Amino acid sequence: FLETLHQQQHEIKNDQRYTLGIFHKEIGTLLGYVFIQDIIRGEKTSAVLDFRIINIYWKNGFAKEAVNEAMKL
């Protein structure tokens, strides 16, 4: 766990990748993750946005909501 945490801190510090948890609004259960990566900053900024939802939570609109919120960042 600590190795993963340190890797994520390194990625954030170097503006390489951001890993965001997706949690159920009412009960706080972890549903998956949104990843913002391959970030290019400059006159035209771009990035790759990816997501992973734990399969028992598929087809409930959680990914759509999470991606819409991540796009606002």
Side-chain angles (χ1 to χ4, degrees):
F1 173 78
L2 286 177
E3 184 177 329
T4 300
L5 183 60
H6 290 297
Q7 178 64 31
Q8 289 178 351
Q9 289 173 333
H10 174 77
E11 291 169 346
I12 291 169
K13 181 179 178 184
N14 293 302
D15 201 29
Q16 296 171 325
R17 180 178 177 166
Y18 297 84
T19 302
L20 308 169
I22 302 169
F23 296 90
H24 193 284
K25 287 181 182 179
E26 296 168 8
I27 58 177
T29 302
L30 179 67
L31 307 173
Y33 297 94
V34 169
F35 306 98
I36 302 170
Q37 57 198 13
D38 299 332
I39 301 160
I40 300 171
R41 299 206 187 262
E43 187 176 320
K44 294 184 178 182
T45 299
S46 68
V48 173
L49 191 144
D50 193 8
F51 64 89
R52 301 284 186 269
I53 300 292
I54 298 168
N55 61 350
I56 61 173
Y57 301 114
W58 289 359
K59 298 184 181 185
N60 288 294
F62 297 125
K64 181 178 180 179
E65 184 175 356
V67 167
N68 285 337
E69 291 301 315
M71 292 295 293
K72 296 175 185 179
L73 297 176

